[in-house]
């Protein structure tokens, strides 16, 4: 899988733009404190430059800047340290000791007269070595630590995908708010034009103040909804700023547009197979099961005798200039017999942990399968809703055009036809915005569920 991922991530023009954006983001983040200190004569901080973000730029920046992703990368380094520690237990252990001492001895401890000897000096310089020649338990622990390293790397990859999905959804929320603002502005423009027409008819005695009041109420409602959409846009930008670890005062502009059409959806069986092969959560759980199995094997390996070699060589004398060389060598066969049933308790604990991870494996597979099917169903429904919303908007615009023509030609035409047309087109535009948001959000969820977020644009 790693080799395939390396082939897929060849640099292209879009990714080079993403790298440039990441560099710019890092520049903004590292110089923000300096900007905060460089205040003008009025005491106001110098504003940060506006940052234009495409969706691809935002995803690339999140991978490099998000603190949660960086935290999981540090956990990978921690896991590498554990592997090195376990490997060190299998390698030779060398130590050196140099001692110059002056002491006295009580002869009564060895059955002689209960007197103390005169002070005497001892010099001892020695090198000691220990080597585990065979220990099944240590070998399995080292193998388990390597599997744990792979598991941590896969968990870091899963966290990266989760963060990228959150960034993409926040970006879609921002595009939704921008589309709602544009829709409400278009509604207000139409209402202002109609308001001018009604006032002209009022001066001719063909409209009443009630007609104007109704339209002004609709206009006020549109302004309120536009203000609410403005807050939603600010909220989406703040969410992006937080996910990208930018200064909170950063000015962000979203430059991408929604996709109104998506490629043909894959078959559910094929999508599930891709997800099970690509999702890092699945790979991490497989590795977690393997690591638990090896830890269980390590615990049971404590029952097997182990072989250790020890030795030392040194110089001993009264002074460092008057010494004799001495050495010792030993080959130790350690045979476990009984330790108060502690070993059996550890074996039972490791066996239970292995079984727990195996059961979690089933849960992960079921969860991933459900997410894929749900994402496919959401995409299918969203595509249908977009088509219905587009047709509904066309019919609402046709209704409003006919109502305006009737109102302009027939002096006795009711103002209710205009208000109904305005309400219909406002609902149709909002429905289309919501449908497009659902389509693009479903696109993000499908990419996340199948493990193909890297190809999202």
């Amino acid at each position: 899988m790693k080799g395939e991922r390396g082939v897929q991530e060849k640099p292209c023009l879009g990714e080079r733009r993403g790298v440039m954006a990441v560099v710019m983001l890092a520049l903004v983040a590292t110089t923000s404190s300096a900007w905060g200190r460089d205040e003008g004569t009025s005491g106001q901080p110098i504003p940060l430059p506006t940052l234009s973000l495409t969706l691809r730029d935002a995803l690339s920046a999140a991978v490099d800047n998000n603190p949660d992703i960086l935290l999981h990368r540090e956990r990978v380094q921690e896991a590498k340290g554990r592997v090195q520690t376990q490997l060190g237990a299998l390698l030779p252990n060398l130590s050196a000791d140099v001692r110059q001492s002056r002491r006295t001895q009580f002869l009564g401890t060895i059955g002689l007269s209960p007197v103390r000897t005169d002070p005497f000096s001892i010099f001892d310089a020695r090198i000691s070595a220990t080597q585990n020649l065979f220990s099944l338990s240590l070998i399995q622990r080292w193998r388990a630590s390597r599997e744990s390293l792979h598991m941590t790397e896969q968990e870091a990859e899963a966290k990266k995908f989760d963060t990228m999905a959150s960034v993409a959804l926040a970006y879609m929320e921002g595009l939704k708010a921008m589309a709602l603002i544009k829709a409400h502005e278009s509604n207000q423009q139409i209402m202002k034009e109609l308001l001018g027409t009604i006032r002209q008819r009022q001066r001719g005695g063909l409209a009443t103040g009630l007609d104007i009041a109704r339209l002004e109420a609709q206009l006020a409602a549109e302004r309120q909804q536009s203000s609410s959409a403005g807050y939603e846009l600010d909220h989406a930008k703040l969410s992006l700023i937080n996910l990208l670890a930018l200064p909170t005062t950063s000015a962000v502009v979203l430059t991408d547009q929604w996709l109104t059409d998506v490629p043909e959806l894959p078959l559910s069986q094929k999508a599930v197979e891709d997800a099970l092969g690509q999702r890092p959560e699945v790979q991490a759980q497989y590795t977690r099961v393997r690591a638990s199995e090896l830890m269980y094997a390590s615990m049971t390996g404590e029952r097997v005798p182990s072989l250790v070699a020890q030795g030392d060589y040194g110089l001993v004398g009264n002074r460092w200039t008057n010494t004799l060389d001495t050495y010792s060598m030993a080959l130790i066969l350690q045979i476990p017999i009984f330790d108060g049933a502690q070993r059996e308790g550890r074996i039972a604990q490791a066996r239970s942990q292995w079984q727990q991870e195996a059961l979690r494996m089933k849960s992960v597979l079921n969860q991933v399968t459900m997410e894929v099917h749900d994402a496919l169903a959401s995409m299918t429904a969203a595509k249908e809703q977009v088509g219905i919303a587009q047709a509904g908007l066309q019919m609402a615009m046709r209704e409003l055009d006919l109502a305006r023509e009737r109102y302009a030609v027939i002096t006795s035409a009711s103002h209710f036809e205009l208000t109904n047309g305005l309400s219909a087109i406002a609902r149709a535009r909002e429905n289309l915005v919501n449908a497009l948001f659902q389509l693009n959000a479903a696109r993000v969820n499908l990419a996340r569920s199948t493990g193909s977020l890297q190809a999202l644009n």
Side-chain angles (χ1 to χ4, degrees):
M1 290 179 59
K2 292 183 179 179
E4 294 175 357
R5 187 179 299 114
V7 173
Q8 293 172 356
E9 293 181 353
K10 291 183 179 179
C12 62
L13 181 59
E15 292 177 339
R16 286 197 292 270
R17 288 201 303 267
V19 173
M20 293 175 62
V22 172
V23 174
M24 185 175 181
L25 288 172
L27 180 62
V28 171
T30 54
T31 57
S32 59
S33 58
W35 283 330
R37 291 192 298 268
D38 295 339
E39 297 183 354
T41 57
S42 62
Q44 297 295 328
I46 299 176
L48 297 176
T50 300
L51 182 63
S52 298
L53 276 181
T54 64
L55 177 58
R56 175 53 53 186
D57 293 339
L59 295 177
S60 300
V63 170
D64 290 336
N65 297 339
N66 185 268
D68 291 334
I69 295 179
L70 299 180
L71 174 62
H72 277 73
R73 288 178 182 172
E74 286 302 319
R75 289 178 179 172
V76 171
Q77 298 303 317
E78 179 186 359
K80 290 180 178 179
R82 287 195 295 269
V83 173
Q84 184 63 39
T85 300
Q86 294 297 332
L87 178 61
L90 297 172
L91 298 179
N93 189 338
L94 299 175
S95 63
D97 184 21
V98 179
R99 177 184 301 177
Q100 175 69 62
S101 62
R102 187 165 179 80
R103 67 178 69 174
T104 61
Q105 289 280 13
F106 180 64
L107 298 180
T109 59
I110 58 175
L112 299 179
S113 300
V115 296
R116 184 183 64 187
T117 66
D118 293 332
F120 60 93
S121 299
I122 293 180
F123 173 81
D124 191 347
R126 192 162 302 278
I127 296 178
S128 302
T130 303
Q131 171 66 58
N132 282 291
L133 298 179
F134 174 76
S135 175
L136 182 60
S137 176
L138 291 178
I139 293 173
Q140 298 291 46
R141 284 179 184 272
W142 171 59
R143 295 178 62 192
S145 68
R146 290 194 304 172
E147 293 298 327
S148 296
L149 171 60
H150 298 328
M151 178 192 68
T152 305
E153 292 173 339
Q154 290 153 357
E155 287 178 343
E157 191 73 8
K159 185 60 182 179
K160 183 183 78 171
F161 279 6
D162 285 339
T163 303
M164 291 173 66
S166 298
V167 168
L169 290 176
Y171 199 99
M172 297 306 172
E173 290 281 358
L175 294 182
K176 175 185 176 181
M178 292 169 58
L180 285 174
I181 291 174
K182 185 177 180 181
H184 292 310
E185 288 176 349
S186 299
N187 294 339
Q188 292 176 49
Q189 181 64 31
I190 295 175
M191 290 177 182
K192 289 177 182 178
E193 294 175 358
L194 292 177
L195 191 58
T197 302
I198 294 174
R199 283 174 175 162
Q200 288 180 357
R201 297 194 63 168
Q202 184 188 33
R203 286 192 291 269
L206 300 177
T208 65
L210 181 59
D211 296 334
I212 295 177
R214 287 194 182 112
L215 192 53
E216 287 179 340
Q218 284 184 289
L219 183 59
E222 286 294 326
R223 288 172 179 164
Q224 181 181 3
Q225 292 177 1
S226 180
S227 176
S228 177
Y231 162 72
E232 292 176 1
L233 177 59
D234 291 338
H235 178 74
K237 288 182 177 180
L238 286 173
S239 297
L240 273 176
I241 288 172
N242 179 56
L243 289 169
L244 302 184
L246 294 175
T248 55
T249 55
S250 300
V252 174
V253 176
L254 310 183
T255 59
D256 271 358
Q257 300 292 327
W258 270 339
L259 294 182
T260 58
D261 192 16
V262 293
E264 190 68 24
L265 296 180
L267 297 176
S268 59
Q269 184 63 32
K270 178 66 165 57
V272 170
E273 291 176 357
D274 291 342
L276 297 181
Q278 297 177 7
R279 286 282 292 268
E281 296 95 330
V282 177
Q283 305 306 317
Q285 189 58 36
Y286 273 126
T287 309
R288 192 177 288 109
V289 172
R290 178 59 179 161
S292 300
E293 180 184 3
L294 289 172
M295 284 302 299
Y296 171 67
S298 173
M299 294 297 105
T300 57
E302 293 181 3
R303 296 169 173 168
V304 179
S306 60
L307 191 62
V308 180
Q310 292 181 349
D312 66 75
Y313 176 84
L315 300 175
V316 179
N318 297 116
R319 296 179 304 277
W320 67 273
T321 57
N322 181 21
T323 60
L324 296 174
D325 60 327
T326 61
Y327 68 90
S328 67
M329 295 183 295
L331 190 62
I332 304 172
L333 178 63
Q334 298 175 337
I335 303 175
I337 298 176
F338 181 71
D339 63 350
Q342 297 180 56
R343 180 169 51 253
E344 298 305 317
R346 292 193 296 271
I347 291 174
Q349 181 182 2
R351 182 191 298 111
S352 176
Q353 291 174 347
W354 178 22
Q355 295 302 319
Q356 290 176 42
E357 296 302 336
L359 293 173
R360 289 194 184 98
M361 185 74 253
K362 296 180 180 179
S363 178
V364 170
L365 294 176
N366 292 337
Q367 179 68 23
V368 170
T369 302
M370 184 275 294
E371 289 178 0
V372 172
H373 284 289
D374 182 71
L376 289 172
S378 177
M379 279 287 292
T380 302
K383 290 177 66 176
E384 183 179 358
Q385 291 171 17
V386 168
I388 295 173
Q390 289 173 338
L393 179 59
Q394 293 177 356
M395 289 185 287
M397 293 178 65
R398 177 61 176 166
E399 177 186 355
L400 180 60
D401 290 340
L402 292 175
R404 293 177 70 172
E405 292 176 3
R406 178 179 174 83
Y407 192 76
V409 175
I410 304 175
T411 57
S412 60
S414 173
H415 175 260
F416 284 110
E417 294 178 351
L418 282 178
T419 57
N420 289 339
L422 289 172
S423 299
I425 199 170
R427 287 193 304 270
R429 282 176 173 158
E430 187 172 354
N431 289 339
L432 180 58
V433 170
N434 289 329
L436 287 172
F437 168 74
Q438 292 297 331
L439 178 65
N440 286 269
R443 187 167 61 92
V444 173
N445 290 330
L446 180 60
R448 177 64 185 96
S449 66
T450 56
S452 57
L453 266 175
Q454 299 284 9
L456 187 65
N457 51 28

